Structures are given as structure tokens and as C-alpha cells.
Amino acid sequence: MTSTTAPAPASALDDAERAELDAHITVLRKGAATWSGLTLSQRATLLRALRDSVSATIEDWADTAADSKGLPSGHPLRGEEWLSGPYSTLGALDAYADTLTKLAGGRSTLDGLTIGRAPGGRTRVDAFPLTRSDQILLAGFSGEVWLKPGTTPASARRKAGLAQLTPDAPGGVGLVLGAGNITSIPVLDVFYELLAHNRVVLLKVNPTQDALVPVYERALAPLIAPGFLRIVRGGAAVGSYLTGHPDLDHVHITGAAATFDAIVWGPSNGTGAQKAATTRRRRENRPLLKKPITAELGGVSPIIVVPGEWTEADITFHAEHVATMRLQNSGHNCIAGQVVIMSRDWAQADQFRAALRRAYASAPERPIWYPGSPKRMGAAAEDYPDALVLADRLLVEIDENADATALQSTEYFAPVLGVVELDGTGQAFLDAAVTYANDELVGTLGGNIIIDPATEKAMGAGFERAIAEFRYGSIAINTWTALGFIVPTMTWGAFPGNTIDDVGSGIGVVHNALLLDDVERSVVRGPFRPFPRSLPVLNGGGRFSILPKPPWFVSARTGTEVSAGLTRFRARGGGLGLVRTLLAALRA
């Protein structure tokens, strides 16, 4: 997901640099003891203070992030930085504070929530929406957390709370190697270390986010002052020194599998001797890293388009939907949709492909800013010389004679979108598409399905069975898995089963503000049709929504205004501002 460069040797640091890092760790070791002495109520109070400090930075946070990504003032996509930065962070703080308050009162984090069953003996927790404002503003959107087969509702209730069930048990000091693409990721990872594991945190920001460090320091001051958090800059040499530091107890990384492997096993792109040593360590199962590690590493995300009888408006809307999944943040997302899976037997296939070309080409232009992405985009152009070049992006339409291997196995992390076709319609197509995604695409982080209400209803239990077979840690139905990222009570991480020897899309989960144990996946669902076509008389049995177009769509004309307004409302409340925001949403 981020740089694939192997860590530089720690010896690249001088004595003063190592001493400064050691001093931070010393402060954190003391802070860990202080954290273990806080009651649950005191921790909830701290989160509320943190909420105030984050709220005071939201304009600077969003503006700094947008500027650093080359989005000038007035650019129509600056709203992305509001939703994926301070909005996500504030939502997480509210949800974690609610969790701690429940636990402090002797209640389960699942009190008041609906717990049901999912296919395959799974327990399902209805985890979104939980607040009145979310029920109104995001009407038609919902989220469930599916627990591992065999986990009972009673067990789920008993284990919910994780480390906060024993808050005085010390968790030590964790190292978070922050993501470089989305500005809330490092902050949300810090929260999860503190609350799911009782670990105070040394956060090393990715160099792409150096400009955000002063904002982070102000926003997170209530954690920094008592020694619960330290933030450092630096490149590979700093990361190498810290991952090997004996006084750090755990590592969490958001990045690329190649970087993970270099940390755990050693460099695979160094000298001949270094490569040989890495190979030998793998063969003998002797990891270079001597402490536990968790990771979120991205992958190649599918978008399954289930054939049905769609209106022209449906086709236009979901073509823009698919374009958004790829082009948000210029494709620099770990769950950017990369492979559209369609039916060659769909009577409307040609119409949808034409609409997708239009939507993909007409989205606002923006820089390809993430390091290494232009090179990967160039590799895609070499692999697929017949790809359509639309503005500053590639659309690869795979025919029966083309080799889809590169598209299936390379996370381009750039505006490269592929389209493949399979036989069948209805349940047969969906089952074939799920099998294709599971078996042919690299990674298990996020998968998307678009299906009209009538077709879903016709499948009956077969649709839920197909979801159960879809091996992804986050699944989105008629929405994008990014919603599962933003909603704090969803879990975020790869489908379970990866190991340090074969890490795939990562190990463990984050976010998870209900602090659930035995998590398998999260499933988010949205309305197939937007307002006003979501009205019951028009939507064919689908979900009602008040949004004509979600503000995260790259085609939303008022996306920045709505995203900023929603963030300000979450930070400060205010009915008049919310009304203005909703009116802007109606003009999207």
C-alpha cells in the first residue's frame, strides 16, 4: 500500500538521532505505567478532551492535507480530506468514548445492539447506524460485523471490550508505522493500540505526511502531555532502528507486503549476501523481527456488477460509483476498486461499459502524487498497450484473449481500472464472480458488490450465502468499502488466516470501536438508487436514502461543501449549519 523499499540499516542514524528516539521511548515507558493506572471513566474523559483538541484543528487538518496532495483552493475534490481525515477521527472518538462509558458502568459494549445470525453458524452484530444523526444523514446505509463461525452471542457479549476488560493490565509500548496516503489512518491506529491493547504508542509518520505533524501534535496534545504518545518523523533508517528496538513491544504497520516482509525477514532487494540471508531465515523460520506484528497491507479489490434490469439513471449512477471507487485520492487507497467483474451475458453490458468510460474520463483531474505510483502506472501501460488513456488515467478492458495476470496480481495504487467479463447471469454469475475474486485476485482486504433490489430479492438466501463465500475482511453492497473504513464501529483488516510467512493483506484488525473479539469481517450496505429515485414508489423495493449523490463521489458537485459541513457538524453541532449542508447535498 505504501513504499515497497526495504528498510535502510539502523546504522544510517547518528548518535544524536538514536539518543532522541531513545528519549521518546523512555518517556513512553513511564507513560505506560500511568495509562495502566487510569480508570475507564478517566479514559473516557480523556477521549472527550481529545475530541475538543481535534475539533479545534479540523480546518487546518483538511487544508494541510489537501495542499500536500496538490489540490489547490477551490478544487472540487478537497472535500475528500475532510471526510477521510478529521471526520473519521471525530467519529472514532465518539464511538470509543461511548464504549468506555458502557464498560465503566458495568455494561457490555453490545448492550442495546441487535445481535443476530449470519450464514455458516456466524454471529452478526448490527453495528451501524447507532446514533440518531447517522440514522438520518446516512439513511439507507447500514453495517454489520460478522464474527467467526462458532462464536455465540453470549461469547461475543462476554469478550467485547478486549483490553478494556482489564484496564490495569500493562500492554507496554507499541510502534505504529503510519500510512502515507490517508491522514486519519495513523491517528486511528494510535487509538486502537491504546484501547484494544492497552499499549501507549510511538508513532512514526510516513514522510508524505510530514506537513501534518504540527496538526497532529495539536490535535493529539492530550495524549502527548502525559506520555501516552510520541510522534517522530523519518525515513527507512528510523523505521529500521525502531522495529529492532528492545524497549518496544509490538509493531503495527499500514503499508505494502514487501515492506512487511523486509521488516520481518530482511531485505529481498539488497546485496546478494543480504538476499541469501533473508532466504535462509525464511527457510529456517527465524524471523529477523523478534516481537509481534500486525498489519494492514491492501490488495487488488474487486467490484462485482451483478446483471439485472437497470434504468438509464441506474447505469449512469453506478458508473460514477465505480469511477469513485478507483479515483478517490487519485487511486492511492488500499481498497481502491481495481477490477470490475461483469457478465458478458448481460443485455446492458455494452451500455454500462460506455457509461463507465464517460464517468471515468470526466472525473476532475488531479495529481498522481503518491511516490512510486507513476512508475506503477507506467508498468500498467506497458502490460496493456491497448488500454484506454482517459485524461490522466488508464482503463484496461480485458477481452477473452488478453492476459489479466498483471491486473489481478498488482496493486497499482494509481488510477488504473480494469474490466473483466465472466459468463452467466443471476446466482450463477454471482457465484462465479465470487470464486474469481477469491481465487484470482491478490489480497483479501475489501470487496464490492453492486446489485439491484429485484435481482437480490430473486436470489433469496443464495445472496447471503454468496457473501459468506466472499473472503474479504470488508464487504460493501451497493456502496464502497471506504464506508466501512469511515464508520468506527466497523472492523478494518484482512480476512483472517494470514501469517507472517504469507501475509497477504495483513494480520489483525483496527478501528472496531465496539472492541469485539473473534472478528471475521464487516459488511456495509447502501441504497441502490439515490434520492429521489430511492422513494418507495420508485425504488423497486430498495433502501430509502436522502442523498441525491453521496458527497464522496468524485462527480458530486458540492462534495467539498457537504463534507466540510458534515465535519463541522460532528465537531461542533449546530442546526443551522446542518440545514445548509443538507441543502448543499441536494445540489450534488
Side-chain angles (χ1 to χ4, degrees):
M1 176 176 164
T2 53
S3 172
T4 58
T5 303
S11 57
L13 300 179
D14 60 32
D15 290 344
E17 291 169 320
R18 287 193 290 271
E20 183 178 3
L21 294 172
D22 290 347
H24 286 312
I25 295 170
T26 298
V27 170
L28 289 168
R29 300 301 298 186
K30 296 177 181 177
T34 304
W35 177 259
S36 295
L38 295 185
T39 66
L40 292 171
S41 295
Q42 288 172 324
R43 293 178 186 190
T45 299
L46 177 62
L47 292 189
R48 294 185 185 100
L50 196 57
R51 190 190 195 286
D52 290 341
S53 61
V54 170
S55 296
T57 69
I58 58 174
E59 280 82 7
D60 285 348
W61 186 328
D63 288 343
T64 303
D67 292 344
S68 70
K69 295 180 181 183
L71 299 176
S73 178
H75 193 283
L77 298 180
R78 284 177 72 94
E80 293 176 357
E81 301 310 315
W82 286 88
L83 289 183
S84 64
Y87 181 90
S88 299
T89 302
L90 289 167
L93 287 169
D94 288 341
Y96 281 127
D98 184 65
T99 285
L100 291 177
T101 300
K102 283 184 175 180
L103 292 172
R107 295 177 291 153
S108 168
T109 72
L110 299 183
D111 279 4
L113 276 65
T114 299
I115 302 177
R117 305 300 291 176
R122 295 171 173 87
T123 291
R124 182 189 68 210
V125 178
D126 290 350
F128 177 81
L130 300 181
T131 67
R132 186 61 178 160
S133 61
D134 283 341
Q135 289 169 354
I136 296 172
L137 297 175
L138 289 173
F141 295 88
S142 63
E144 313 145 15
V145 179
W146 291 19
L147 306 182
K148 294 176 182 177
T151 303
T152 65
S155 173
R157 289 184 183 277
R158 186 174 64 253
K159 293 182 178 180
L162 298 179
Q164 299 312 298
L165 297 175
T166 54
D168 57 346
V173 183
L175 169 65
V176 169
L177 300 175
N181 60 327
I182 296 293
T183 61
S184 65
I185 292 178
V187 178
L188 297 177
D189 290 348
V190 166
F191 296 166
Y192 200 65
E193 287 289 290
L194 282 166
L195 297 169
H197 304 293
N198 272 343
R199 282 192 287 264
V200 300
V201 181
L202 178 62
L203 168 63
K204 190 195 86 65
V205 298
N206 188 289
T208 62
Q209 296 195 354
D210 278 352
L212 267 295
V213 170
V215 177
Y216 288 155
E217 289 175 338
R218 284 186 288 126
L220 303 178
L223 295 179
I224 295 172
F228 304 151
L229 172 67
R230 284 295 183 271
I231 303 172
V232 298
R233 296 179 174 92
V238 171
S240 181
Y241 180 71
L242 293 174
T243 56
H245 201 289
D247 290 333
L248 294 176
D249 302 292
H250 182 273
V251 176
H252 177 78
I253 176 176
T254 300
T259 305
F260 177 95
D261 287 344
I263 291 170
V264 173
W265 301 103
S268 60
N269 60 348
T271 65
Q274 288 173 326
K275 292 179 182 177
T278 298
T279 301
R280 186 168 57 252
R281 277 191 291 269
R282 276 188 174 274
R283 185 176 62 248
E284 298 172 356
N285 194 27
R286 294 186 296 105
L288 186 67
L289 185 71
K290 305 303 182 185
K291 61 196 65 168
I293 184 170
T294 52
E296 189 264 271
L297 304 174
V300 174
S301 294
I303 308 167
I304 298 174
V305 180
V306 182
E309 294 184 14
W310 294 14
T311 67
E312 184 176 345
D314 294 336
I315 288 173
T316 298
F317 178 80
H318 285 294
E320 294 178 10
H321 192 180
V322 170
T324 294
M325 294 184 200
R326 179 73 261 183
L327 296 177
Q328 200 270 357
N329 198 29
S330 200
H332 308 320
N333 291 325
C334 52
I335 39 78
Q338 181 164 306
V339 177
V340 181
I341 306 171
M342 293 177 54
S343 167
R344 62 172 56 93
D345 299 320
W346 186 21
Q348 296 175 294
D350 289 344
Q351 189 180 355
F352 184 79
R353 278 194 298 268
L356 179 58
R357 293 183 198 118
R358 288 193 298 271
Y360 199 63
S362 61
E365 294 189 30
R366 61 178 300 161
I368 300 171
W369 62 270
Y370 200 85
S373 291
K375 181 178 179 180
R376 286 188 290 275
M377 195 167 179
E382 291 182 8
D383 287 331
Y384 300 103
D386 295 330
L388 295 174
V389 180
L390 303 172
D392 56 352
R393 55 210 66 149
L394 293 180
L395 181 62
V396 181
E397 297 180 340
I398 300 290
D399 61 29
E400 294 184 33
N401 300 315
D403 184 358
T405 302
L407 185 67
Q408 296 168 164
S409 60
T410 306
E411 183 190 6
Y412 287 114
F413 216 64
V416 179
L417 180 66
V419 180
V420 301
E421 291 186 329
L422 304 177
D423 294 329
T425 59
Q427 188 74 55
F429 168 79
L430 178 58
D431 291 344
V434 165
T435 298
Y436 175 89
N438 287 343
D439 296 347
E440 303 297 335
L441 304 186
V442 168
T444 62
L445 183 63
N448 310 273
I449 299 173
I450 300 174
I451 183 170
D452 68 89
T455 302
E456 181 180 343
K457 183 178 180 181
M459 289 185 186
F463 181 71
E464 294 297 309
R465 176 187 53 77
I467 294 175
E469 295 296 324
F470 202 25
R471 295 195 301 270
Y472 285 84
S474 182
I475 295 172
I477 302 158
N478 291 333
T479 183
W480 178 27
T481 45
L483 179 67
F485 172 90
I486 288 177
V487 173
T489 47
M490 296 292 100
T491 58
W492 189 251
F495 194 81
N498 297 324
T499 65
I500 61 169
D501 194 49
D502 184 11
V503 72
S505 287
I507 298 170
V509 299
V510 290
H511 303 185
N512 187 23
L514 297 172
L515 299 179
L516 300 172
D517 199 9
D518 298 323
V519 168
E520 183 183 66
R521 73 184 88 192
S522 284
V523 180
V524 290
R525 306 177 195 246
F528 180 76
R529 295 184 172 97
F531 184 84
R533 293 186 302 113
S534 65
L535 291 169
V537 71
L538 301 173
N539 70 7
R543 295 169 170 232
F544 171 75
S545 172
I546 68 170
L547 297 174
K549 186 176 291 185
W552 55 85
F553 269 41
V554 293
S555 55
R557 290 176 303 209
T558 58
T560 296
E561 184 179 352
V562 173
S563 299
L566 289 174
T567 306
R568 293 187 179 106
F569 174 73
R570 185 171 281 281
R572 301 162 190 154
L576 182 58
L578 180 60
V579 169
R580 290 176 179 150
T581 298
L582 292 177
L583 291 174
L586 294 175
R587 303 194 309 272

